Amino acid sequence: MAVYTEVTDEDLSAFAAQYDLGAVLSCKGIAEGVENSNFLLVTERGPYILTLYEKRTRREDIPFFLGLMEHLSDKGVACPLPVAARDGVALRELCGRPAVIVTFLSGLWPRRIHPQHCAELGAALARLHLAVGDFTMERPNALALAGWQDLFAKSADRADEVAVGLRETLETELAALAANWPVGLPSGVIHADLFPDNVFFRGESLTGLIDFYFACNDFLAYDIAICINAWCFEIDGSFNATKARLLLSSYRKVRPLSRAELDALPWLCRGSAVRFLLTRLYDWLNHPPGAFVRPKDPVEYLRKLRFHQTVRGLGDYFLDDDDQPAGA
Amino acid sequence: MAVYTEVTDEDLSAFAAQYDLGAVLSCKGIAEGVENSNFLLVTERGPYILTLYEKRTRREDIPFFLGLMEHLSDKGVACPLPVAARDGVALRELCGRPAVIVTFLSGLWPRRIHPQHCAELGAALARLHLAVGDFTMERPNALALAGWQDLFAKSADRADEVAVGLRETLETELAALAANWPVGLPSGVIHADLFPDNVFFRGESLTGLIDFYFACNDFLAYDIAICINAWCFEIDGSFNATKARLLLSSYRKVRPLSRAELDALPWLCRGSAVRFLLTRLYDWLNHPPGAFVRPKDPVEYLRKLRFHQTVRGLGDYFLDDDDQPAGA
């Protein structure tokens, strides 16, 4: 869950009075999300989401996130739209924290991933990548190669508490990633955290994407690698090639992938596995004992990393000819 | 927070299809409540609350709770109303747990208690006590004297981990309560857990009561004692006589209190303090390390108990003449 800040009714009423949303009828903390405090705010105008940005979100990054959501909404990508107060400003302050009200997005995030969810996801991800083509704000990826090294340095001494040999595995892998990380792939703004709980569906139809608070500039294909790791493995750790195939092929119907992007996928998947392994490892070793949030299991991503380490090319993912680029 | 059970979208859709509520548009876990899993369920008909009853709620008690909410709604006491599915049955099953959909109650629970909140509370509590006069179902209070002894026996050995001398304090107090507990006071169904997070307001106007899952038969005045403890102490531990006076006087405008009830208040307050001290002590000593719920501080109720132990009569609560019964 994530409600780190208690908002008093007086503070909330004063805050809501800045908007043209009518009176506040209800405000309930949402037991989802990890980084920020989220509330389902019902006003006379209907339901909204109120987000209070907690420490981990840097205040100077917030205009990028809000601008991105506005840009995407404008381009027809379904996502929460920041709501401006009467003075035209969406980013405000509540209880000493940056705060924003965004529109409510209907849909449920899938607890069990069907192949068709992955097909919908691939197309939506490609539409997002096309939509950001003319988005002019930039945010470097703090969790790229250099960031991984920093995170590793903070956790290395205690890594083997989580899995014996993990320190050495990570050390070797980070060196391999540094030596083999692709260069010159098509870049742009990526979501960078498109896990199932950030993608809403109605039945098997995708209704929208949420939580753009890791969005940054990086290789577009790296976003695909993050999704492959987050959506195409079963709970038992096995790789589901059908899901990956649907994700890739539906992506490519909207935004074709170059040979270089396809060839880079195994390294991008390894890098993505390391990125989530490292943040989970850090959180596992450093979560305060009284924290509300149960830290996620780092070992899940160690297993995914090991799988990708065995892959030499796209064929090893059991992706068949249909997944080769049209011009190949 | 409280979301103990993950509901898959498939299970939820099948569940909702039993009702005349249209399609499910959204379902978000609510980060409030302790005993059960609560979700804010938005359907084509509007918002509802979906509750899944977890282990601590006994299945055989649920018809009493639902019947009580139906009875109170019927009598005009604003509270959630169980929604029947198409077959007329409200209590169903979801993910192997008893589950019910109830109507959505607007309002916010007060994070900072104003005196006027206590006045509204007193009147609402009295209306509840009048409304249950002809409610025929019964549920004994499992957390009365005998229950306190049981709880104490389970925690006694480790009580001093929480506060030095707590074991002896509780042992002495339980004996005093057994010797002095009032008899023959007006009885009926009480809410038994009317803490601020179970009472919704819009501004300073009370909009409804929720969470009837501790409701049981006991002295009506014991419910007042629970509210005095939950609403009339400041964060620094001081007793706010203004709030208590407003609570009592507005209660008595709706349901007069007998001399015996007023005289019993100090003992009822001590008993209520012990009841919450004991459950908090037990939870403090027994909460699993990975639990989502941060246990509540038992010491808060030890301080309240100590305050009531110094009280010899209503006057010691600084309640003035207006608070004496009309015929006194």
Side-chain angles (χ1 to χ4, degrees), chain A residues 221-265:
Chain A
Y222 180 57
D223 233 3
I224 303 174
I226 291 170
C227 289
I228 287 174
N229 279 329
W231 292 74
C232 304
F233 285 83
E234 302 303 310
I235 289 169
D236 65 6
S238 61
F239 178 71
N240 187 320
T242 301
K243 291 178 179 175
R245 199 176 289 153
L246 283 166
L247 196 165
L248 261 191
S249 62
S250 63
Y251 182 101
R252 293 164 70 190
K253 280 177 198 151
V254 178
R255 179 183 168 265
L257 289 169
S258 69
R259 181 80 259 161
E261 286 180 297
L262 288 167
D263 289 343
L265 265 183

mmCIF file of all heavy atoms in Angstrom, chain A residues 221-265:
data_model
loop_
_atom_site.group_PDB
_atom_site.id
_atom_site.type_symbol
_atom_site.label_atom_id
_atom_site.label_comp_id
_atom_site.label_asym_id
_atom_site.label_seq_id
_atom_site.Cartn_x
_atom_site.Cartn_y
_atom_site.Cartn_z
ATOM 1 N N ALA A 221 13.445 0.621 -27.196
ATOM 2 C CA ALA A 221 13.387 -0.847 -27.088
ATOM 3 C C ALA A 221 13.656 -1.325 -25.660
ATOM 4 O O ALA A 221 13.283 -2.445 -25.288
ATOM 5 C CB ALA A 221 14.383 -1.486 -28.062
ATOM 6 N N TYR A 222 14.291 -0.485 -24.840
ATOM 7 C CA TYR A 222 14.514 -0.856 -23.447
ATOM 8 C C TYR A 222 13.176 -0.972 -22.713
ATOM 9 O O TYR A 222 13.002 -1.816 -21.826
ATOM 10 C CB TYR A 222 15.429 0.181 -22.781
ATOM 11 C CG TYR A 222 15.742 -0.076 -21.328
ATOM 12 C CD1 TYR A 222 16.333 -1.263 -20.913
ATOM 13 C CD2 TYR A 222 15.447 0.879 -20.349
ATOM 14 C CE1 TYR A 222 16.618 -1.502 -19.573
ATOM 15 C CE2 TYR A 222 15.731 0.656 -19.008
ATOM 16 C CZ TYR A 222 16.318 -0.534 -18.622
ATOM 17 O OH TYR A 222 16.596 -0.752 -17.301
ATOM 18 N N ASP A 223 12.211 -0.142 -23.087
ATOM 19 C CA ASP A 223 10.854 -0.229 -22.516
ATOM 20 C C ASP A 223 10.228 -1.592 -22.833
ATOM 21 O O ASP A 223 9.514 -2.160 -22.002
ATOM 22 C CB ASP A 223 9.978 0.883 -23.116
ATOM 23 C CG ASP A 223 9.282 1.735 -22.057
ATOM 24 O OD1 ASP A 223 9.517 1.509 -20.851
ATOM 25 O OD2 ASP A 223 8.525 2.653 -22.439
ATOM 26 N N ILE A 224 10.502 -2.093 -24.052
ATOM 27 C CA ILE A 224 9.982 -3.425 -24.414
ATOM 28 C C ILE A 224 10.622 -4.485 -23.517
ATOM 29 O O ILE A 224 9.952 -5.403 -23.027
ATOM 30 C CB ILE A 224 10.281 -3.755 -25.897
ATOM 31 C CG1 ILE A 224 9.687 -2.674 -26.809
ATOM 32 C CG2 ILE A 224 9.776 -5.142 -26.262
ATOM 33 C CD1 ILE A 224 10.068 -2.849 -28.294
ATOM 34 N N ALA A 225 11.927 -4.341 -23.289
ATOM 35 C CA ALA A 225 12.636 -5.319 -22.443
ATOM 36 C C ALA A 225 12.053 -5.318 -21.026
ATOM 37 O O ALA A 225 11.862 -6.383 -20.429
ATOM 38 C CB ALA A 225 14.123 -4.977 -22.409
ATOM 39 N N ILE A 226 11.746 -4.129 -20.504
ATOM 40 C CA ILE A 226 11.133 -4.047 -19.170
ATOM 41 C C ILE A 226 9.802 -4.796 -19.160
ATOM 42 O O ILE A 226 9.506 -5.555 -18.234
ATOM 43 C CB ILE A 226 10.943 -2.562 -18.766
ATOM 44 C CG1 ILE A 226 12.313 -1.920 -18.511
ATOM 45 C CG2 ILE A 226 10.041 -2.439 -17.537
ATOM 46 C CD1 ILE A 226 12.275 -0.402 -18.350
ATOM 47 N N CYS A 227 9.011 -4.612 -20.226
ATOM 48 C CA CYS A 227 7.707 -5.286 -20.312
ATOM 49 C C CYS A 227 7.854 -6.796 -20.467
ATOM 50 O O CYS A 227 7.070 -7.565 -19.899
ATOM 51 C CB CYS A 227 6.880 -4.710 -21.459
ATOM 52 S SG CYS A 227 6.280 -3.043 -21.139
ATOM 53 N N ILE A 228 8.838 -7.232 -21.238
ATOM 54 C CA ILE A 228 9.056 -8.682 -21.388
ATOM 55 C C ILE A 228 9.314 -9.289 -20.011
ATOM 56 O O ILE A 228 8.745 -10.318 -19.639
ATOM 57 C CB ILE A 228 10.218 -8.967 -22.369
ATOM 58 C CG1 ILE A 228 9.760 -8.677 -23.805
ATOM 59 C CG2 ILE A 228 10.725 -10.405 -22.227
ATOM 60 C CD1 ILE A 228 10.866 -8.794 -24.852
ATOM 61 N N ASN A 229 10.171 -8.626 -19.226
ATOM 62 C CA ASN A 229 10.455 -9.148 -17.891
ATOM 63 C C ASN A 229 9.239 -9.102 -16.973
ATOM 64 O O ASN A 229 9.029 -10.006 -16.160
ATOM 65 C CB ASN A 229 11.598 -8.351 -17.252
ATOM 66 C CG ASN A 229 12.962 -8.837 -17.745
ATOM 67 O OD1 ASN A 229 13.134 -10.016 -18.066
ATOM 68 N ND2 ASN A 229 13.922 -7.926 -17.824
ATOM 69 N N ALA A 230 8.451 -8.064 -17.105
ATOM 70 C CA ALA A 230 7.339 -7.863 -16.163
ATOM 71 C C ALA A 230 6.088 -8.654 -16.539
ATOM 72 O O ALA A 230 5.252 -8.931 -15.683
ATOM 73 C CB ALA A 230 7.005 -6.372 -16.059
ATOM 74 N N TRP A 231 5.940 -9.011 -17.817
ATOM 75 C CA TRP A 231 4.687 -9.590 -18.288
ATOM 76 C C TRP A 231 4.813 -11.015 -18.833
ATOM 77 O O TRP A 231 3.807 -11.700 -18.972
ATOM 78 C CB TRP A 231 4.093 -8.716 -19.411
ATOM 79 C CG TRP A 231 3.609 -7.389 -18.965
ATOM 80 C CD1 TRP A 231 4.373 -6.308 -18.612
ATOM 81 C CD2 TRP A 231 2.242 -6.977 -18.793
ATOM 82 N NE1 TRP A 231 3.581 -5.253 -18.253
ATOM 83 C CE2 TRP A 231 2.264 -5.633 -18.366
ATOM 84 C CE3 TRP A 231 1.012 -7.610 -18.984
ATOM 85 C CZ2 TRP A 231 1.090 -4.917 -18.099
ATOM 86 C CZ3 TRP A 231 -0.154 -6.892 -18.733
ATOM 87 C CH2 TRP A 231 -0.103 -5.563 -18.300
ATOM 88 N N CYS A 232 6.023 -11.446 -19.211
ATOM 89 C CA CYS A 232 6.144 -12.683 -20.001
ATOM 90 C C CYS A 232 6.803 -13.831 -19.247
ATOM 91 O O CYS A 232 7.223 -14.810 -19.876
ATOM 92 C CB CYS A 232 6.871 -12.388 -21.310
ATOM 93 S SG CYS A 232 6.068 -11.085 -22.286
ATOM 94 N N PHE A 233 6.887 -13.719 -17.931
ATOM 95 C CA PHE A 233 7.357 -14.837 -17.125
ATOM 96 C C PHE A 233 6.205 -15.313 -16.244
ATOM 97 O O PHE A 233 5.426 -14.500 -15.749
ATOM 98 C CB PHE A 233 8.540 -14.424 -16.243
ATOM 99 C CG PHE A 233 9.826 -14.279 -17.003
ATOM 100 C CD1 PHE A 233 10.117 -13.098 -17.686
ATOM 101 C CD2 PHE A 233 10.750 -15.322 -17.052
ATOM 102 C CE1 PHE A 233 11.299 -12.952 -18.394
ATOM 103 C CE2 PHE A 233 11.934 -15.184 -17.766
ATOM 104 C CZ PHE A 233 12.217 -13.998 -18.439
ATOM 105 N N GLU A 234 6.130 -16.619 -16.066
ATOM 106 C CA GLU A 234 5.101 -17.168 -15.192
ATOM 107 C C GLU A 234 5.596 -17.114 -13.744
ATOM 108 O O GLU A 234 6.777 -16.880 -13.480
ATOM 109 C CB GLU A 234 4.770 -18.613 -15.592
ATOM 110 C CG GLU A 234 4.307 -18.733 -17.038
ATOM 111 C CD GLU A 234 3.080 -17.861 -17.337
ATOM 112 O OE1 GLU A 234 2.112 -17.924 -16.585
ATOM 113 O OE2 GLU A 234 3.130 -17.093 -18.320
ATOM 114 N N ILE A 235 4.677 -17.358 -12.810
ATOM 115 C CA ILE A 235 5.040 -17.313 -11.390
ATOM 116 C C ILE A 235 6.122 -18.342 -11.069
ATOM 117 O O ILE A 235 6.969 -18.121 -10.204
ATOM 118 C CB ILE A 235 3.785 -17.538 -10.512
ATOM 119 C CG1 ILE A 235 2.886 -16.291 -10.617
ATOM 120 C CG2 ILE A 235 4.159 -17.761 -9.052
ATOM 121 C CD1 ILE A 235 1.518 -16.464 -10.023
ATOM 122 N N ASP A 236 6.141 -19.447 -11.800
ATOM 123 C CA ASP A 236 7.164 -20.474 -11.549
ATOM 124 C C ASP A 236 8.508 -20.101 -12.177
ATOM 125 O O ASP A 236 9.454 -20.895 -12.138
ATOM 126 C CB ASP A 236 6.685 -21.843 -12.050
ATOM 127 C CG ASP A 236 6.524 -21.874 -13.576
ATOM 128 O OD1 ASP A 236 6.883 -20.875 -14.261
ATOM 129 O OD2 ASP A 236 6.031 -22.897 -14.092
ATOM 130 N N GLY A 237 8.604 -18.919 -12.785
ATOM 131 C CA GLY A 237 9.876 -18.475 -13.347
ATOM 132 C C GLY A 237 10.051 -18.799 -14.820
ATOM 133 O O GLY A 237 11.026 -18.357 -15.434
ATOM 134 N N SER A 238 9.120 -19.571 -15.384
ATOM 135 C CA SER A 238 9.299 -19.966 -16.791
ATOM 136 C C SER A 238 8.936 -18.811 -17.730
ATOM 137 O O SER A 238 8.067 -17.992 -17.420
ATOM 138 C CB SER A 238 8.435 -21.192 -17.112
ATOM 139 O OG SER A 238 7.073 -20.891 -16.915
ATOM 140 N N PHE A 239 9.638 -18.782 -18.860
ATOM 141 C CA PHE A 239 9.422 -17.741 -19.866
ATOM 142 C C PHE A 239 8.278 -18.154 -20.774
ATOM 143 O O PHE A 239 8.264 -19.267 -21.295
ATOM 144 C CB PHE A 239 10.717 -17.571 -20.677
ATOM 145 C CG PHE A 239 10.609 -16.563 -21.788
ATOM 146 C CD1 PHE A 239 10.533 -15.213 -21.515
ATOM 147 C CD2 PHE A 239 10.613 -16.975 -23.119
ATOM 148 C CE1 PHE A 239 10.440 -14.279 -22.541
ATOM 149 C CE2 PHE A 239 10.524 -16.050 -24.149
ATOM 150 C CZ PHE A 239 10.437 -14.695 -23.857
ATOM 151 N N ASN A 240 7.322 -17.293 -20.954
ATOM 152 C CA ASN A 240 6.162 -17.603 -21.793
ATOM 153 C C ASN A 240 6.361 -16.949 -23.173
ATOM 154 O O ASN A 240 6.103 -15.763 -23.360
ATOM 155 C CB ASN A 240 4.886 -17.095 -21.123
ATOM 156 C CG ASN A 240 3.631 -17.531 -21.872
ATOM 157 O OD1 ASN A 240 3.605 -17.520 -23.106
ATOM 158 N ND2 ASN A 240 2.611 -17.929 -21.143
ATOM 159 N N ALA A 241 6.842 -17.774 -24.123
ATOM 160 C CA ALA A 241 7.189 -17.255 -25.442
ATOM 161 C C ALA A 241 5.959 -16.749 -26.192
ATOM 162 O O ALA A 241 6.051 -15.808 -26.984
ATOM 163 C CB ALA A 241 7.895 -18.337 -26.260
ATOM 164 N N THR A 242 4.803 -17.348 -25.936
ATOM 165 C CA THR A 242 3.578 -16.888 -26.600
ATOM 166 C C THR A 242 3.280 -15.436 -26.232
ATOM 167 O O THR A 242 2.950 -14.606 -27.090
ATOM 168 C CB THR A 242 2.383 -17.778 -26.167
ATOM 169 O OG1 THR A 242 2.691 -19.121 -26.537
ATOM 170 C CG2 THR A 242 1.096 -17.334 -26.832
ATOM 171 N N LYS A 243 3.420 -15.149 -24.946
ATOM 172 C CA LYS A 243 3.158 -13.777 -24.492
ATOM 173 C C LYS A 243 4.174 -12.800 -25.089
ATOM 174 O O LYS A 243 3.814 -11.713 -25.564
ATOM 175 C CB LYS A 243 3.179 -13.714 -22.958
ATOM 176 C CG LYS A 243 2.001 -14.442 -22.312
ATOM 177 C CD LYS A 243 2.070 -14.397 -20.789
ATOM 178 C CE LYS A 243 0.854 -15.115 -20.194
ATOM 179 N NZ LYS A 243 0.939 -15.212 -18.717
ATOM 180 N N ALA A 244 5.452 -13.198 -25.090
ATOM 181 C CA ALA A 244 6.486 -12.312 -25.629
ATOM 182 C C ALA A 244 6.264 -12.078 -27.125
ATOM 183 O O ALA A 244 6.421 -10.964 -27.632
ATOM 184 C CB ALA A 244 7.865 -12.923 -25.382
ATOM 185 N N ARG A 245 5.869 -13.151 -27.823
ATOM 186 C CA ARG A 245 5.621 -13.054 -29.258
ATOM 187 C C ARG A 245 4.482 -12.081 -29.539
ATOM 188 O O ARG A 245 4.578 -11.227 -30.429
ATOM 189 C CB ARG A 245 5.261 -14.467 -29.769
ATOM 190 C CG ARG A 245 5.404 -14.684 -31.228
ATOM 191 C CD ARG A 245 5.110 -16.137 -31.551
ATOM 192 N NE ARG A 245 6.164 -17.026 -31.065
ATOM 193 C CZ ARG A 245 5.988 -18.299 -30.734
ATOM 194 N NH1 ARG A 245 4.782 -18.849 -30.786
ATOM 195 N NH2 ARG A 245 7.011 -19.026 -30.336
ATOM 196 N N LEU A 246 3.403 -12.198 -28.777
ATOM 197 C CA LEU A 246 2.259 -11.302 -28.972
ATOM 198 C C LEU A 246 2.632 -9.869 -28.622
ATOM 199 O O LEU A 246 2.231 -8.924 -29.320
ATOM 200 C CB LEU A 246 1.072 -11.754 -28.107
ATOM 201 C CG LEU A 246 0.317 -12.954 -28.656
ATOM 202 C CD1 LEU A 246 -0.605 -13.547 -27.589
ATOM 203 C CD2 LEU A 246 -0.510 -12.543 -29.883
ATOM 204 N N LEU A 247 3.392 -9.696 -27.570
ATOM 205 C CA LEU A 247 3.801 -8.353 -27.164
ATOM 206 C C LEU A 247 4.604 -7.688 -28.286
ATOM 207 O O LEU A 247 4.304 -6.579 -28.727
ATOM 208 C CB LEU A 247 4.632 -8.460 -25.872
ATOM 209 C CG LEU A 247 4.866 -7.206 -25.028
ATOM 210 C CD1 LEU A 247 5.366 -7.601 -23.640
ATOM 211 C CD2 LEU A 247 5.830 -6.209 -25.631
ATOM 212 N N LEU A 248 5.606 -8.438 -28.788
ATOM 213 C CA LEU A 248 6.484 -7.910 -29.833
ATOM 214 C C LEU A 248 5.745 -7.674 -31.142
ATOM 215 O O LEU A 248 5.884 -6.629 -31.774
ATOM 216 C CB LEU A 248 7.626 -8.893 -30.098
ATOM 217 C CG LEU A 248 8.972 -8.622 -29.442
ATOM 218 C CD1 LEU A 248 10.018 -9.545 -30.047
ATOM 219 C CD2 LEU A 248 9.403 -7.160 -29.600
ATOM 220 N N SER A 249 4.959 -8.672 -31.571
ATOM 221 C CA SER A 249 4.338 -8.545 -32.890
ATOM 222 C C SER A 249 3.300 -7.422 -32.888
ATOM 223 O O SER A 249 3.180 -6.676 -33.874
ATOM 224 C CB SER A 249 3.719 -9.869 -33.345
ATOM 225 O OG SER A 249 2.706 -10.263 -32.453
ATOM 226 N N SER A 250 2.565 -7.262 -31.788
ATOM 227 C CA SER A 250 1.572 -6.177 -31.789
ATOM 228 C C SER A 250 2.263 -4.822 -31.656
ATOM 229 O O SER A 250 1.787 -3.826 -32.203
ATOM 230 C CB SER A 250 0.524 -6.381 -30.696
ATOM 231 O OG SER A 250 1.107 -6.357 -29.433
ATOM 232 N N TYR A 251 3.388 -4.790 -30.976
ATOM 233 C CA TYR A 251 4.176 -3.546 -30.935
ATOM 234 C C TYR A 251 4.594 -3.164 -32.350
ATOM 235 O O TYR A 251 4.436 -2.013 -32.774
ATOM 236 C CB TYR A 251 5.398 -3.737 -30.036
ATOM 237 C CG TYR A 251 6.270 -2.484 -29.894
ATOM 238 C CD1 TYR A 251 6.181 -1.678 -28.767
ATOM 239 C CD2 TYR A 251 7.184 -2.111 -30.886
ATOM 240 C CE1 TYR A 251 6.954 -0.536 -28.626
ATOM 241 C CE2 TYR A 251 7.964 -0.973 -30.768
ATOM 242 C CZ TYR A 251 7.849 -0.182 -29.628
ATOM 243 O OH TYR A 251 8.626 0.953 -29.496
ATOM 244 N N ARG A 252 5.123 -4.160 -33.075
ATOM 245 C CA ARG A 252 5.713 -3.874 -34.381
ATOM 246 C C ARG A 252 4.681 -3.524 -35.444
ATOM 247 O O ARG A 252 5.028 -2.937 -36.482
ATOM 248 C CB ARG A 252 6.572 -5.058 -34.822
ATOM 249 C CG ARG A 252 7.790 -5.197 -33.902
ATOM 250 C CD ARG A 252 8.441 -6.546 -34.056
ATOM 251 N NE ARG A 252 9.089 -6.658 -35.341
ATOM 252 C CZ ARG A 252 9.575 -7.811 -35.817
ATOM 253 N NH1 ARG A 252 9.436 -8.935 -35.119
ATOM 254 N NH2 ARG A 252 10.173 -7.828 -36.986
ATOM 255 N N LYS A 253 3.414 -3.886 -35.180
ATOM 256 C CA LYS A 253 2.371 -3.459 -36.113
ATOM 257 C C LYS A 253 2.157 -1.955 -36.022
ATOM 258 O O LYS A 253 1.678 -1.315 -36.951
ATOM 259 C CB LYS A 253 1.053 -4.191 -35.822
ATOM 260 C CG LYS A 253 1.021 -5.602 -36.391
ATOM 261 C CD LYS A 253 -0.269 -6.307 -36.019
ATOM 262 C CE LYS A 253 -0.105 -7.818 -36.197
ATOM 263 N NZ LYS A 253 -0.968 -8.583 -35.273
ATOM 264 N N VAL A 254 2.469 -1.397 -34.878
ATOM 265 C CA VAL A 254 2.275 0.048 -34.664
ATOM 266 C C VAL A 254 3.577 0.814 -34.899
ATOM 267 O O VAL A 254 3.595 1.852 -35.538
ATOM 268 C CB VAL A 254 1.746 0.315 -33.237
ATOM 269 C CG1 VAL A 254 1.577 1.811 -32.984
ATOM 270 C CG2 VAL A 254 0.447 -0.434 -32.988
ATOM 271 N N ARG A 255 4.664 0.281 -34.373
ATOM 272 C CA ARG A 255 5.968 0.923 -34.562
ATOM 273 C C ARG A 255 6.991 -0.164 -34.925
ATOM 274 O O ARG A 255 7.383 -0.955 -34.070
ATOM 275 C CB ARG A 255 6.421 1.637 -33.280
ATOM 276 C CG ARG A 255 7.792 2.292 -33.448
ATOM 277 C CD ARG A 255 8.346 2.953 -32.193
ATOM 278 N NE ARG A 255 9.750 3.253 -32.479
ATOM 279 C CZ ARG A 255 10.768 2.466 -32.152
ATOM 280 N NH1 ARG A 255 10.581 1.362 -31.446
ATOM 281 N NH2 ARG A 255 11.999 2.788 -32.523
ATOM 282 N N PRO A 256 7.397 -0.221 -36.198
ATOM 283 C CA PRO A 256 8.352 -1.258 -36.617
ATOM 284 C C PRO A 256 9.649 -1.148 -35.833
ATOM 285 O O PRO A 256 10.072 -0.046 -35.465
ATOM 286 C CB PRO A 256 8.579 -0.946 -38.098
ATOM 287 C CG PRO A 256 7.392 -0.149 -38.517
ATOM 288 C CD PRO A 256 6.984 0.640 -37.314
ATOM 289 N N LEU A 257 10.262 -2.312 -35.577
ATOM 290 C CA LEU A 257 11.552 -2.339 -34.878
ATOM 291 C C LEU A 257 12.663 -2.581 -35.888
ATOM 292 O O LEU A 257 12.513 -3.401 -36.806
ATOM 293 C CB LEU A 257 11.558 -3.454 -33.831
ATOM 294 C CG LEU A 257 10.672 -3.220 -32.599
ATOM 295 C CD1 LEU A 257 10.562 -4.499 -31.767
ATOM 296 C CD2 LEU A 257 11.220 -2.081 -31.742
ATOM 297 N N SER A 258 13.790 -1.901 -35.721
ATOM 298 C CA SER A 258 14.933 -2.113 -36.618
ATOM 299 C C SER A 258 15.643 -3.405 -36.235
ATOM 300 O O SER A 258 15.465 -3.944 -35.138
ATOM 301 C CB SER A 258 15.898 -0.932 -36.494
ATOM 302 O OG SER A 258 16.516 -0.956 -35.214
ATOM 303 N N ARG A 259 16.469 -3.894 -37.164
ATOM 304 C CA ARG A 259 17.308 -5.077 -36.899
ATOM 305 C C ARG A 259 18.144 -4.854 -35.636
ATOM 306 O O ARG A 259 18.267 -5.728 -34.781
ATOM 307 C CB ARG A 259 18.215 -5.284 -38.122
ATOM 308 C CG ARG A 259 19.153 -6.460 -38.067
ATOM 309 C CD ARG A 259 18.467 -7.784 -38.418
ATOM 310 N NE ARG A 259 18.146 -8.550 -37.237
ATOM 311 C CZ ARG A 259 17.246 -9.540 -37.203
ATOM 312 N NH1 ARG A 259 16.555 -9.876 -38.259
ATOM 313 N NH2 ARG A 259 17.015 -10.191 -36.104
ATOM 314 N N ALA A 260 18.711 -3.639 -35.540
ATOM 315 C CA ALA A 260 19.576 -3.335 -34.397
ATOM 316 C C ALA A 260 18.794 -3.419 -33.088
ATOM 317 O O ALA A 260 19.294 -3.934 -32.080
ATOM 318 C CB ALA A 260 20.186 -1.939 -34.551
ATOM 319 N N GLU A 261 17.564 -2.937 -33.095
ATOM 320 C CA GLU A 261 16.750 -3.004 -31.872
ATOM 321 C C GLU A 261 16.445 -4.449 -31.499
ATOM 322 O O GLU A 261 16.524 -4.836 -30.327
ATOM 323 C CB GLU A 261 15.437 -2.224 -32.072
ATOM 324 C CG GLU A 261 15.622 -0.710 -32.048
ATOM 325 C CD GLU A 261 14.311 0.042 -32.257
ATOM 326 O OE1 GLU A 261 13.718 -0.113 -33.357
ATOM 327 O OE2 GLU A 261 13.893 0.764 -31.344
ATOM 328 N N LEU A 262 16.104 -5.257 -32.523
ATOM 329 C CA LEU A 262 15.795 -6.657 -32.244
ATOM 330 C C LEU A 262 17.021 -7.395 -31.722
ATOM 331 O O LEU A 262 16.950 -8.159 -30.758
ATOM 332 C CB LEU A 262 15.260 -7.346 -33.510
ATOM 333 C CG LEU A 262 13.844 -6.915 -33.911
ATOM 334 C CD1 LEU A 262 13.531 -7.386 -35.329
ATOM 335 C CD2 LEU A 262 12.820 -7.469 -32.929
ATOM 336 N N ASP A 263 18.164 -7.131 -32.367
ATOM 337 C CA ASP A 263 19.397 -7.810 -31.945
ATOM 338 C C ASP A 263 19.803 -7.405 -30.531
ATOM 339 O O ASP A 263 20.440 -8.172 -29.806
ATOM 340 C CB ASP A 263 20.544 -7.485 -32.919
ATOM 341 C CG ASP A 263 20.350 -8.180 -34.270
ATOM 342 O OD1 ASP A 263 19.536 -9.142 -34.321
ATOM 343 O OD2 ASP A 263 20.998 -7.774 -35.254
ATOM 344 N N ALA A 264 19.433 -6.194 -30.157
ATOM 345 C CA ALA A 264 19.835 -5.701 -28.838
ATOM 346 C C ALA A 264 18.953 -6.245 -27.718
ATOM 347 O O ALA A 264 19.305 -6.138 -26.541
ATOM 348 C CB ALA A 264 19.794 -4.169 -28.827
ATOM 349 N N LEU A 265 17.812 -6.840 -28.074
ATOM 350 C CA LEU A 265 16.840 -7.220 -27.036
ATOM 351 C C LEU A 265 17.413 -8.077 -25.899
ATOM 352 O O LEU A 265 17.143 -7.801 -24.730
ATOM 353 C CB LEU A 265 15.626 -7.917 -27.653
ATOM 354 C CG LEU A 265 14.427 -7.007 -27.957
ATOM 355 C CD1 LEU A 265 13.262 -7.836 -28.495
ATOM 356 C CD2 LEU A 265 13.976 -6.213 -26.728
#
